[in-house]
Amino acid sequence: MTRTGIEAALNDLLFNRDITPAEAADQHFAPDYRQRTDSVWADRAEFLDHIEHLRGIVAHGHVDVHEELYDGARYADRHTCHITKTDGTTVAMEVYVFADLTSDGRFRRIEETTLMLQGSEADRDLGSAR
């Protein structure tokens, strides 16, 4: 089983413009994927709406994974997303993730909490904005 991780998934979703968000989602997320970010639940379609929104405002960025743990079909990590938006402003968010993986190694469910380290008050909901 080849397991995905948050760095590969976010790089494909947000920063790799050679593939569509749907193609990235197919590689890293199960068809029945669900996500909760800061208490807001999204199904796969809502998640893809979120990614499309982000692709419209994110110019580039990178992900720093600080800690990552796989335990069978369970996954956890702590990472920081560093984003430069198309307007030139920057955002840094620390994210704490707990997830379930499918038997083929894709994310089935992610529950995450975000902590804004840098950015404006308007960027506070960037983790779930649509």
Side-chain angles (χ1 to χ4, degrees):
M1 166 177 78
T2 301
R3 298 180 294 195
T4 195
I6 206 70
E7 184 176 14
L10 289 175
N11 281 334
D12 282 345
L13 287 167
L14 297 177
F15 310 127
N16 182 355
R17 302 304 167 117
D18 293 332
I19 61 174
T20 68
E23 291 168 332
D26 287 344
Q27 290 179 29
H28 300 284
F29 300 89
D32 60 345
Y33 177 71
R34 290 177 17 109
Q35 177 172 315
R36 182 173 71 168
T37 303
D38 298 328
S39 78
V40 176
W41 277 104
D43 62 19
R44 186 181 166 112
E46 292 165 326
F47 172 70
L48 284 172
D49 288 345
H50 165 64
I51 297 303
E52 291 283 358
H53 170 75
L54 291 180
R55 278 208 180 182
I57 62 172
V58 171
H60 57 84
H62 68 278
V63 177
D64 290 327
V65 175
H66 308 294
E67 298 160 315
E68 186 173 52
L69 174 68
Y70 291 92
D71 183 17
R74 304 271 181 177
Y75 174 89
D77 87 15
R78 182 177 67 89
H79 67 274
T80 301
C81 287
H82 300 273
I83 293 172
T84 301
K85 295 170 45 178
T86 55
D87 67 6
T89 61
T90 58
V91 179
M93 297 193 92
E94 188 168 341
V95 184
Y96 300 83
V97 172
F98 292 93
D100 293 327
L101 300 169
T102 61
S103 60
D104 66 0
R106 294 182 291 170
F107 289 117
R108 170 166 283 131
R109 177 193 57 86
I110 287 180
E111 296 191 41
E112 65 183 16
T113 298
T114 63
L115 172 64
M116 190 165 71
L117 303 175
Q118 175 187 349
S120 71
E121 187 61 31
D123 295 322
R124 191 164 297 282
D125 72 343
L126 204 59
S128 59
R130 290 188 200 117

